Amino acid sequence: MPSEHWFDGYPTHMEMQIYHTIDDSDYTVDFPYKAVVSVMIRPGDPSYFMNSIDVFNLPTSGGVNRLPDDSNINLMAIVNPDDKYYFYKGSLNTPDCEEDVLWYVFKTE
């Protein structure tokens, strides 16, 4: 299955979506408390993230899609700080499709 986000009329090869929950009581009630960082991945290219995870122990299709809490992965190494990204306020793409989610979509594969 190609990516959920399309660029120039075409889907990218793969898309990794990293979900974040903002747990800070300093924010007001109106501020969204969920964000998704979406990174495009090209199969075959070197990938810090793909090399960092134990691919043989990933969840099965019916399992929980979550890395163990003791995972040691530097999410800042996935994208370059100079990479361009799109931002929009949308919803989760899985049921219950919760709204008011901040999306940051990096175009670079």
Side-chain angles (χ1 to χ4, degrees):
M1 177 187 310
S3 68
E4 178 178 353
H5 289 94
W6 291 45
F7 299 99
D8 300 323
Y10 297 97
T12 57
H13 294 89
M14 295 181 350
E15 180 174 350
M16 174 177 54
Q17 296 176 347
I18 306 163
Y19 293 81
H20 301 272
T21 300
I22 301 168
D23 185 20
D24 190 338
S25 60
D26 292 337
Y27 288 114
T28 64
V29 177
D30 295 338
F31 190 82
Y33 67 96
K34 292 199 177 184
V36 180
V37 175
S38 185
V39 179
M40 304 308 127
I41 299 173
R42 181 185 303 274
D45 284 355
S47 168
Y48 163 82
F49 178 77
M50 297 305 259
N51 291 334
S52 298
I53 61 175
D54 184 1
V55 295
F56 297 106
N57 288 318
L58 289 176
T60 60
S61 61
V64 175
N65 293 316
R66 179 182 169 152
L67 291 173
D69 290 338
D70 62 350
S71 295
N72 188 16
I73 296 173
N74 180 1
L75 294 177
M76 294 299 293
I78 295 173
V79 295
N80 183 323
D82 297 329
D83 286 347
K84 304 283 187 231
Y85 65 90
Y86 297 94
F87 168 79
Y88 66 92
K89 191 173 180 182
S91 63
L92 292 179
N93 54 8
T94 55
D96 64 344
C97 300
E98 184 176 334
E99 296 182 354
D100 292 330
V101 175
L102 304 176
W103 281 83
Y104 299 86
V105 181
F106 285 83
K107 182 177 180 182
T108 306
E109 284 189 86

